[in-house]
Amino acid sequence: MKNYTLIRRPMFLLSSLLLIALLSTFTMFRSSAKSEMVSRAKHASLPSERAGVNAVFTDKGPVVTETAKLPSSDCMAYSYFGHSVVFEKPPACTIPGSYTQSSVSVNTHPYSVALGDFNQDGKIDLAVANQGGDSVSIRLADGNGGFSIWSQVTTGQGPVSVVSGNLNNDGFLDLAVANRSNNSVSILLGNGTGGFYVMPSVSVNGQPHAVTLGDVNGDGILDLATANQSSNSVSIRLGDGAGGFYGTTRISVGAVPRSVAFGDFNGDGKLDLATANQYHNTVSICLGNGTGGFTLLNGVVVGLEPYSVALGDFNQDGKVDFAVANKGSNSVSIRLGDGFGGFSSAPNVSVGIAPHSVAIGDFDGDGRLDLATANRSANTISIRSGDGSGGFSGATELSVGIEPYFVTSGDINGDGQLDLAVVNLLSHTVSILLHNCF
């Protein structure tokens, strides 16, 4: 018995020491793995349209869980002495999801907003075209969804559309503003601190209602196009790389074009364009020749009073499709591209009353494009989830300000999820909707 006890105690001590060593080793490993995870989460660049993943530590025995966010590309699993560290991608955010809403005051009768980092601090700021104030309101972001009043920049008469891009190749974002009341586009060159210099305006045709930017002649410099509602045309102006624009190209399209968008519809590497024609109930498709010229190919029939057109690959076949908000039929028409400039119909999507604008993005983080509309007569936005085959479902309706006229999306608070900015015509505000996914 004595001998047995003498033998057992060393064995017991040895087992205890081994257990302590194992626990210490695991603790060090778990701490190291956690540090690595947090470090990677801190320094990783989250894709703007995808959710992150949850990192879950699992011990045998009592379960201990700790979480952090990682990009979806960092899914992985470790095992060590029977213990595991598993990085799991959570289910995609579900529609309707949760949004935190706030309001940003701007000038009189805002019509449109452009998102961009105007002061080079890595945060998304706002530029709002105010039709009643003949100005653009600049609001600088704090990175958490808040905005400070910064400046008002004078434009032409009746600004109704604003877009951002680097027009003079100095690395700072600039603005182009369509002025409906004096048939011009204001060019505002950014200084990289949130200020803008007013350049000579660009003359276009009758009552431009929308402006967009793209390199239509392949020289690496941004050009502009306007949808001119009273002349049933699109004006093309070529950029000179210094903030100036030249040319007199005018393309006839359908009656009362309200929106214009650039995209490569026939896969030839040259930008084409589409316009939403309110009184023709069509979308005009014009194919670009790569030197700044365009040929009207066809008019695609859509719903009643199409007001806004947006492009995206809704059925994931690598070809450009379009969605158009139909003001008169409270719907969005989905048309799927064939890669040659033709389009086929998909089921219409019901939305709120009088949609004036449509925005495209992966709002629920499932890798498929969704849509959002600003419904002017309902004071709401509608969100519909894409199925990846060209269909859309859901019934999310979110109240915003009075007469929402325009909606766009971007990662406003830097959490890797798409948020929404909605311009409210009669509230003189922009509603900010931050998407809460986790």
Side-chain angles (χ1 to χ4, degrees), residues 381-405:
I381 61 167
S382 300
I383 300 175
R384 302 294 182 262
S385 182
D387 62 10
S389 300
F392 291 82
S393 62
T396 301
E397 304 292 328
L398 302 175
S399 295
V400 287
I402 302 172
E403 294 199 17
Y405 198 87

Side-chain angles (χ1 to χ4, degrees), residues 59 62 327 358:
D59 296 341
K327 171 189 170 185
V358 60

Side-chain angles (χ1 to χ4, degrees), residues 236-302:
I236 302 293
R237 299 293 182 265
L238 302 179
D240 63 9
F245 291 83
Y246 63 95
T248 58
T249 300
R250 175 178 169 179
I251 307 158
S252 294
V253 292
V256 190
R258 295 287 191 176
S259 175
V260 60
F262 281 130
D264 184 7
F265 302 133
N266 60 348
D268 64 354
K270 302 165 186 174
L271 282 185
D272 312 309
L273 65 83
T275 62
N277 310 310
Q278 183 181 1
Y279 290 163
H280 260 179
N281 299 331
T282 62
V283 169
S284 293
I285 302 299
C286 302
L287 299 184
N289 63 10
T291 63
F294 291 83
T295 301
L296 178 63
L297 180 64
N298 56 39
V300 181
V301 176
V302 291

Side-chain angles (χ1 to χ4, degrees), residues 184-239:
S184 69
V185 175
S186 294
I187 303 299
L188 310 176
L189 299 184
N191 63 10
T193 64
F196 290 85
Y197 303 108
V198 179
M199 293 286 288
S201 62
V202 181
S203 294
V204 293
N205 298 113
Q207 292 188 295
H209 191 265
V211 61
T212 192
L213 300 173
D215 181 9
V216 301
N217 61 345
D219 63 355
I221 299 168
L222 286 178
D223 312 306
L224 66 82
T226 60
N228 309 311
Q229 68 181 60
S230 67
S231 60
N232 303 331
S233 68
V234 170
S235 295
I236 302 293
R237 299 293 182 265
L238 302 179

Side-chain angles (χ1 to χ4, degrees), residues 93 95 314 323 358-372 383-388 391-393 418:
C93 299
I95 295 292
F314 305 131
V358 60
I360 303 301
D362 182 10
F363 303 129
D364 55 6
D366 65 355
R368 301 186 284 259
L369 288 180
D370 313 308
L371 64 84
I383 300 175
R384 302 294 182 262
S385 182
D387 62 10
F392 291 82
S393 62
L418 280 184

